[in-house]
Amino acid sequence: MTKHPILICTFLALSSGFFGSYIGGQLTLMLHSQKCQNQPWGLKEICNTWVTPGAIVQGSTRGIWTGTVLGAFVGGLVARQARD
């Protein structure tokens, strides 16, 4: 039985939040950069440069919230089972 269930729950929530932030940023960046694929080479580079910051921020924000909530839920289940 663990003596620190809150630390386990917090660690799982934070680590899954950071992982979700990374994955969300990468996925959103890939989806947004597909909009630039039909452009000629010079305009494609400008389009990618324009789209990248917003896509990373949007995906990272969604990912960190989703990952943290799901991680806290799983961490709570783990901490609860360890307590029983």
Side-chain angles (χ1 to χ4, degrees):
M1 180 162 52
T2 181
K3 294 182 181 183
H4 303 288
I6 293 175
L7 291 177
I8 292 172
C9 185
T10 302
F11 176 75
L12 281 173
L14 290 176
S15 60
S16 64
F18 289 130
F19 181 71
S21 175
Y22 175 75
I23 297 297
Q26 293 299 314
L27 288 175
T28 306
L29 178 59
M30 284 191 303
L31 290 173
H32 282 236
S33 65
Q34 285 180 353
K35 296 176 184 176
C36 302
Q37 294 302 317
N38 295 331
Q39 303 292 331
W41 181 80
L43 292 177
K44 181 194 248 185
E45 298 305 316
I46 293 171
C47 180
N48 280 331
T49 304
W50 184 261
V51 166
T52 298
I56 290 176
V57 168
Q58 181 183 14
S60 296
T61 304
R62 286 182 184 169
I64 200 164
W65 281 106
T66 304
T68 302
V69 169
L70 291 176
F73 179 74
V74 170
L77 290 176
V78 168
R80 183 176 180 183
Q81 286 179 353
R83 187 180 64 179
D84 290 343

